[in-house]
Amino acid sequence: MLKTILCVDDDPITLMLCKKVIVKAAFSEEIMFANNGQEAFELFQSMAVQKKEDKSFQSPQLIFLDLNMPVMNGWEFLDLFQESLVEDFNETKVIILSSTIDPSDYQKAKGYEMISHFLSKPITVEMLENLKPLYS
């Protein structure tokens, strides 16, 4: 079981479903939420400060990231994260959780080392059961 994960999505129903499925699958002890890429980026900026002040601070090991969001989309978040925060959070992996069917999105995802999987919404217990061996 993971200690902490972050779900980033602009749809409150998707976030609620993520929480229910993650709890049901016993996939993570703690679940954090952000409504768009900007909120997630600002959260990681504040966690970077916490990490420097408290060496025992535990940041999310995994991010479930939607691509299509207002304010800052998933790609913009990934670019900013990769530019300025990846060194502080090099252990954090990203799973794209999106409803996109655009093949270019799948190709683009291969250009980011931090992306470990590209999954289609909605998240299911079966998906998490398949991922558990990789993150335990």
Side-chain angles (χ1 to χ4, degrees):
M1 179 185 289
L2 292 172
K3 173 79 175 125
T4 308
I5 62 171
L6 171 65
C7 297
V8 185
D9 199 300
D10 62 311
D11 179 24
I13 294 168
T14 298
L15 291 176
M16 182 185 69
L17 177 64
C18 277
K19 180 178 181 179
K20 285 183 182 238
V21 170
I22 290 164
V23 168
K24 187 172 183 174
F27 191 73
S28 179
E29 292 176 27
E30 182 182 353
I31 308 164
M32 302 171 77
F33 300 98
N35 294 304
N36 58 60
Q38 184 168 341
E39 277 187 23
F41 184 73
E42 289 169 359
L43 183 61
F44 271 99
Q45 284 179 311
S46 67
M47 285 190 284
V49 172
Q50 283 181 278
K51 266 183 105 166
K52 287 180 175 90
E53 294 172 356
D54 178 4
K55 298 297 180 202
S56 66
F57 177 77
Q58 182 72 46
S59 55
Q61 296 121 305
L62 186 63
I63 303 168
F64 284 108
L65 180 67
D66 185 24
L67 294 177
N68 301 310
M69 297 176 284
V71 184
M72 180 187 290
N73 68 36
W75 296 124
E76 292 165 327
F77 166 79
L78 287 166
D79 289 340
L80 271 176
F81 190 92
Q82 196 164 280
E83 284 172 24
S84 58
L85 293 172
V86 74
E87 288 179 21
D88 292 325
F89 301 99
N90 59 354
E91 299 295 314
T92 301
K93 294 294 178 195
V94 175
I95 294 178
I96 302 293
L97 188 61
S98 181
S99 54
T100 185
I101 55 170
D102 186 345
S104 67
D105 284 334
Y106 294 98
Q107 283 304 112
K108 189 173 182 177
K110 293 177 182 178
Y112 295 87
E113 279 187 39
M114 68 192 84
I115 297 177
S116 62
H117 293 83
F118 199 118
L119 303 175
S120 294
K121 287 182 182 179
I123 192 170
T124 65
V125 171
E126 292 76 27
M127 281 179 184
L128 297 182
E129 292 296 334
N130 290 333
L131 292 171
K132 267 186 184 178
L134 304 173
Y135 295 102
S136 300

